[in-house]
Amino acid sequence: MASGKPPLNPYLAGVFLGLVLTASYAVLGAGLGASGGLARLAAALSHLAAPAHTQASAYFGAWAPHYLSYYLVFMFVGLFVGGLLSAGVAGRLRPGLERGPGCPAARRMVFVFGGGLLVGFASRLAQGCTSGQALSGGALLLTGSLIFLAALFVSGFAVARFFRSQWYA
Amino acid sequence: MLSTFYGTDRLDSGAAWAAAFLLGVLFGIALEQAGFGSSRRLAAVFYLDDLAVIKVMFTALVTAMLGLIFLTGTGLLPPDQLYYLPTVYGAHLLGGLILGAGFAMGGWCPGTAAVGAASGKLDAWLFLAGGLAGCILFNELYPLLKPLATWGEAGVDFLYPHLGLSQGSAAFYVSLLAVAVFWGCELLERRRGVGGQLLSGRFLPTFSGALLVAAAVAYLAAPLPGMGPQPGAKGEAALLAQVEAGLDHMEPEELADRLLAREPGLVVADVRSEAEFQAFHIRGAIHAPLPRVHEVLAPFKNKGTIVLYSGGMTHAAQARDSLFRQGFRNVYLLSEGLVGFRERVLKPASLRAEPVTPEMAARISAWRTFFAPAPPAAAGPEPAELPAPLPGLVETEWLARHLGQPWLKIIDLRSQPEYNSGHIPGAVYLNYDSLRGVVGGVSSMLLPGELLAAHFSLMGITPGDLIVLAPGEKMQDATLVGMAAERLGHRRYAILQGGMPRWLAEKRPLTTALPAITPSRYPVPPGADDFTVAADKVLEASRRGRPLILDVRPAEYYRGEKSEEARAGHIPGAKNRPFSDDVIAGKEGVFFRPAAELAAAYARLLPDKDTPVIVHCRTGHQASQTFFVLKRLLGYRQVLYYDAGWSEWASRPELPVVKEGK
């Protein structure tokens, strides 16, 4: 499906992203991050469902009671706004469930939810995701971040065949 | 000079949140413009149908890497204004593997999914819902996962020193690699007929050239080597505010008084660079440079009180924050850092602006007597010079090459007449038995930490020193002193393979001159060690069959045919592996058997490196050798030491004994 303008030259997009990351370090003193905001949101939701349990829990509990008073939550909101602006201008606002020809919606939904579950879990284990750990830490040539980055791609390539059916007939 | 929200402790302010929001908007635009609002495009990288993910990520990484080197290398952005994620090897490896699988499965990662969700993609919303569930699952399982999440903690750790590279040269190689990867991606896409248009035209060569020029400039701008801490930087690290309350600062006056009172369990750690530490440090402080702060302080985790200091406060706060994340709950910061310590403790009463009471003047004078004469700069060895791994073995050739180094402390364990008629230059004499005494009525027990620290102090040993133990004919004399080092948390020790007989046989340098020793103030370890066990634990192990009890006495003592104690025989369930089987002693010296041979022998008794084992002999002397073999040469992780051994067990009639043939 043709959707709006073609994406930017990947190298130019990469330079732009790298400059935003540099600016983040220069202004905030910390890199970009997405899963940090997501985790805060998860803690807040957990608090809505079970306040006492969440406050007493070993991981989320450290953020109580102002789970959302954290700079990465604001960055996460900014990500949405930026994505919306950019997609709107480029004519890429196309609601729908993205999947390959012949892939039943249910399969794509199961895969995408399961993928999210793994990613959410792994981002807490590794204290960051593709942006907060791999990219932000990688730019400082931190050992752990680069190990994470390498493991991410090795694993992605290794298991991709099992999820091929959601894209290719 | 730029100061960041993190560096000035304002990451929780409204201004920081507004900045984070704006950066998030730009971040979102960058991802969306790259075409990452589409899971199909993202997932395509794993089927080699569109390699944009690799191109964008690698370009961004290299751009930011070079940008940060420019900013820090030119001094515009002091490195202590940045937050460095600490490395946790196991968690990062496993987290990366799981995250990669989830990325391939779902076609999104958190940042791109946010952009996808904003573009109206239903699957992105589902992915984020899954992500929330994954975070909640992690929280619920956290008590179980905690060992995994902290598995392989290494503190703030940069890759390039491991490769023997400076920051600048590493950045250049990474840029070179990036250019190679970009060309490879384009070629692959063209071959597969899915892209590669950029191979024709001037863009890619121009871009590659520009990148390499930028990398070359960064190489010139980069500080040598790595990050140079900036002394005197003020302000607490920002994440400090986030971590729980109850962790406080310690005022310089209080620290001075507590050090003066020689409070046991008080560990003062200097997180500045080697050069700064050598130039001056608070008396009694140990050196825990930022990249190795976890490793150095691990023995004191949640034992006693750790006080960190740097020039100002930012570095110490950064270290404290990083330690806190790894479970340290006993870390304090020195208020105002070394700057404050100089001003409020070391400054003579006569130079102070404010009026000084006679009591205060007396206090200041006592402090100055204790702290002002800077101890001789104990030059810690450069890591590259140390034999690896430590604790471990060292060869005579290595020792001969490093004689005279201020950080090298050699202990000669032969008899005093042997020592006095010729020893390694700089070596001190020690009778291993002076480190033992009657403890709780049991004889020949390794002395408590404070007494061992006093012995080490008399020998002029400081925590940064490398101790080389040179036995005479008995390897266990060296390993017993090794146990003392272990109890003090002193990891930098090595045993001279071959001992003194080998040194003599090889006709290496000797002297009869006594060494010049400046007594040190070796810090007293907080609390007991974590490897010594008492009889009750051994009895429990005997009943439960775990941990394995290893009796290392000669076989005839184990069997009960010979005895020098109240009763003959062995602890029920104990296995016998005589300590003498682990060494080869001859005219040429006393040597540990080759590691492979030892590993094979012990693999039969202890199937994996996590099998818990208690070692004992009669008095703890021989068992110290087996302890060293298992823990330090073979890497068994759970080795316990029943120091009191058979001399106690046999004398306590309520404890069970078996004799062979009964």
Side-chain angles (χ1 to χ4, degrees):
Chain A
M1 70 188 160
S3 49
K5 289 205 295 190
L8 199 63
N9 172 320
Y11 302 104
L12 297 182
V15 168
F16 179 33
L17 179 56
L19 291 176
V20 176
L21 175 56
T22 310
S24 179
Y25 271 119
V27 175
L28 297 175
L32 299 171
S35 62
L38 193 72
R40 294 289 177 143
L41 204 59
L45 288 174
S46 171
H47 184 84
L48 279 181
H53 172 75
T54 307
Q55 264 175 354
S57 64
Y59 191 76
F60 285 167
W63 303 336
H66 304 293
Y67 301 94
L68 298 179
S69 301
Y70 190 53
Y71 74 103
L72 284 179
V73 174
F74 292 84
M75 191 178 283
F76 196 66
V77 176
L79 251 174
F80 264 85
V81 174
L84 188 67
L85 282 174
S86 171
V89 169
R92 286 194 282 258
L93 277 175
R94 296 288 164 92
L97 185 76
E98 228 181 338
R99 62 195 147 117
C103 169
R107 182 189 297 160
R108 172 71 187 133
M109 287 165 83
V110 167
F111 280 171
V112 82
F113 186 83
L117 191 82
L118 289 178
V119 167
F121 181 87
S123 72
R124 289 308 87 211
L125 181 60
Q127 296 175 33
C129 59
T130 334
S131 34
Q133 186 60 261
L135 185 58
S136 298
L140 289 169
L141 302 179
L142 293 167
T143 311
S145 306
L146 294 169
I147 289 175
F148 176 85
L149 176 62
L152 189 162
F153 277 104
V154 166
S155 167
F157 279 108
V159 306
R161 69 174 86 170
F162 303 113
F163 310 112
R164 192 184 169 83
S165 64
Q166 61 186 328
W167 306 115
Y168 301 91
Chain B
M1 278 212 306
L2 294 169
S3 58
T4 66
F5 284 107
Y6 167 77
T8 53
D9 192 13
R10 290 185 298 130
L11 210 46
D12 274 348
S13 65
W17 292 346
F21 172 80
L22 285 175
L23 285 160
V25 170
L26 293 172
F27 183 20
I29 293 173
L31 290 179
E32 209 287 331
Q33 284 296 314
F36 292 170
S38 157
S39 54
R40 188 163 194 172
R41 182 147 197 249
L42 289 162
V45 70
F46 296 118
Y47 306 100
L48 304 178
D49 277 349
D50 184 342
L51 300 176
V53 171
I54 293 176
K55 298 178 201 168
V56 173
M57 255 201 90
F58 216 160
T59 307
L61 192 152
V62 170
T63 304
M65 174 185 75
L66 299 177
L68 286 166
I69 291 178
F70 282 127
L71 290 177
T72 53
T74 53
L76 203 58
L77 180 63
D80 64 1
Q81 294 291 310
L82 299 180
Y83 175 62
Y84 300 92
L85 289 154
T87 288
V88 189
Y89 283 104
H92 282 157
L93 178 66
L94 196 63
L97 291 174
I98 301 175
L99 197 130
F103 191 174
M105 186 178 180
W108 297 105
C109 62
T112 53
V115 169
S119 328
K121 301 294 190 322
L122 184 60
D123 50 327
W125 286 101
L126 266 172
F127 182 88
L128 291 175
L132 290 170
C135 292
I136 292 172
L137 182 72
F138 182 85
N139 179 53
E140 295 304 317
L141 298 178
Y142 188 68
L144 292 173
L145 293 170
K146 206 172 167 197
L148 199 61
T150 54
W151 175 36
E153 291 169 0
V156 174
D157 189 67
F158 297 93
L159 184 69
Y160 41 88
H162 296 288
L163 307 175
L165 296 174
S166 71
Q167 187 190 18
S169 50
F172 187 79
Y173 289 129
V174 170
S175 308
L176 207 59
L177 179 70
V179 168
V181 167
F182 296 154
W183 285 85
C185 282
E186 298 298 336
L187 277 169
L188 188 65
E189 283 184 350
R190 173 181 277 185
R191 186 176 298 174
R192 291 178 57 84
V194 291
Q197 292 88 348
L198 290 175
L199 278 178
S200 12
R202 273 198 310 232
F203 177 80
L204 199 56
T206 313
F207 179 72
S208 306
L211 201 61
L212 292 179
V213 169
V217 177
Y219 174 77
L220 298 174
L224 285 172
M227 57 170 206
Q230 306 290 305
K234 285 266 178 185
E236 300 169 32
L239 289 186
L240 202 62
Q242 268 171 244
V243 294
E244 294 172 14
L247 288 146
D248 213 341
H249 293 58
M250 192 179 285
E251 299 304 318
E253 294 86 355
E254 185 190 343
L255 179 70
D257 283 339
R258 289 170 73 168
L259 277 171
L260 205 57
R262 296 175 186 257
E263 178 183 309
L266 179 65
V267 177
V268 183
D270 186 325
V271 303
R272 298 171 306 152
S273 70
E274 185 77 43
E276 289 170 301
F277 180 79
Q278 274 178 40
F280 177 78
H281 59 261
I282 296 178
R283 182 173 169 189
I286 60 173
H287 188 215
L290 223 43
R292 292 199 304 116
V293 70
H294 289 251
E295 181 196 330
V296 174
L297 294 176
F300 310 111
K301 184 171 181 176
N302 299 337
K303 287 187 219 157
T305 304
I306 300 174
V307 182
L308 299 179
Y309 74 85
S310 51
M313 291 201 64
T314 307
H315 268 116
Q318 198 167 31
R320 210 281 305 272
D321 180 56
S322 172
L323 290 165
F324 185 87
R325 283 165 182 269
Q326 311 297 343
F328 283 72
R329 292 293 181 274
N330 59 332
V331 183
Y332 292 75
L333 295 176
L334 177 61
S335 281
E336 298 179 28
L338 202 50
V339 174
F341 193 86
R342 285 181 197 276
E343 193 65 22
R344 289 163 60 180
V345 172
L346 297 178
K347 195 174 188 178
S350 56
L351 293 181
R352 300 202 180 203
E354 75 282 4
V356 177
T357 62
E359 294 80 42
M360 190 63 192
R363 253 175 107 191
I364 293 170
S365 157
W367 289 337
R368 285 183 49 80
T369 315
F370 187 80
F371 293 106
E382 287 298 311
E385 290 185 61
L386 289 175
L390 286 176
L393 301 175
V394 68
E395 299 296 331
T396 47
E397 201 272 322
W398 185 94
L399 184 59
R401 254 192 300 127
H402 289 86
L403 288 180
Q405 293 288 355
W407 43 262
L408 179 67
K409 299 284 152 62
I410 307 163
I411 301 181
D412 188 329
L413 293 155
R414 296 173 303 160
S415 74
Q416 190 259 344
E418 283 175 298
Y419 170 85
N420 277 20
S421 41
H423 55 258
I424 302 175
V428 292
Y429 162 75
L430 177 73
N431 177 347
Y432 75 88
D433 215 28
S434 58
L435 302 183
R436 306 205 291 178
V438 181
V439 177
V442 182
S443 55
S444 298
M445 295 287 283
L446 188 64
L447 293 173
E450 60 266 30
L451 294 178
L452 295 177
H455 274 280
F456 274 44
S457 302
L458 289 173
M459 290 188 279
I461 295 168
T462 64
D465 289 340
L466 172 71
I467 304 173
V468 171
L469 302 166
E473 281 138 26
K474 293 178 174 174
M475 199 54 106
Q476 65 266 36
D477 296 351
T479 54
L480 190 92
V481 182
M483 292 311 288
E486 299 269 355
R487 178 161 289 175
L488 291 172
H490 191 110
R491 303 286 296 269
R492 288 185 171 182
Y493 75 89
I495 293 175
L496 182 64
Q497 180 73 299
M500 283 308 293
R502 179 178 175 201
W503 187 270
L504 297 170
E506 292 174 358
K507 306 221 180 312
R508 297 207 181 255
L510 291 172
T511 178
T512 53
L514 292 178
I517 298 290
T518 315
S520 64
R521 201 176 148 274
Y522 201 94
V524 173
D529 65 53
D530 54 6
F531 52 83
T532 305
V533 291
D536 58 332
K537 278 268 186 277
V538 184
L539 182 62
E540 198 189 317
S542 169
R543 288 188 178 138
R544 292 178 48 201
R546 192 181 154 91
L548 178 77
I549 302 169
L550 207 56
D551 185 334
V552 312
R553 295 174 300 158
E556 58 270 31
Y557 286 87
Y558 170 83
R559 289 196 297 266
E561 296 154 15
K562 270 191 175 178
S563 170
E564 289 158 4
E565 293 291 345
R567 290 183 289 171
H570 60 259
I571 300 170
K575 293 262 193 317
N576 185 222
R577 161 78 187 176
F579 76 102
S580 49
D581 290 0
D582 295 347
V583 289
I584 309 166
K587 262 201 155 136
E588 303 75 35
V590 54
F591 295 83
F592 282 104
R593 288 188 179 276
E597 211 176 294
L598 292 170
Y602 280 101
R604 284 194 283 277
L605 287 162
L606 299 162
D608 76 79
K609 303 274 174 182
D610 280 313
T611 311
V613 55
I614 298 174
V615 294
H616 84 88
C617 59
R618 192 173 68 88
T619 66
H621 190 197
Q622 300 164 349
S624 70
Q625 185 192 293
T626 309
F627 181 94
F628 182 82
V629 167
L630 288 174
K631 183 139 189 178
R632 298 307 177 198
L633 296 185
L634 301 180
Y636 283 91
R637 282 180 279 271
Q638 302 193 49
V639 188
L640 301 167
Y641 176 59
Y642 176 35
D643 184 11
W646 192 251
S647 66
E648 179 196 34
W649 194 274
S651 309
R652 287 178 52 183
E654 73 276 18
L655 296 171
V657 163
V658 280
K659 242 175 118 171
E660 213 86 325
K662 278 201 170 177

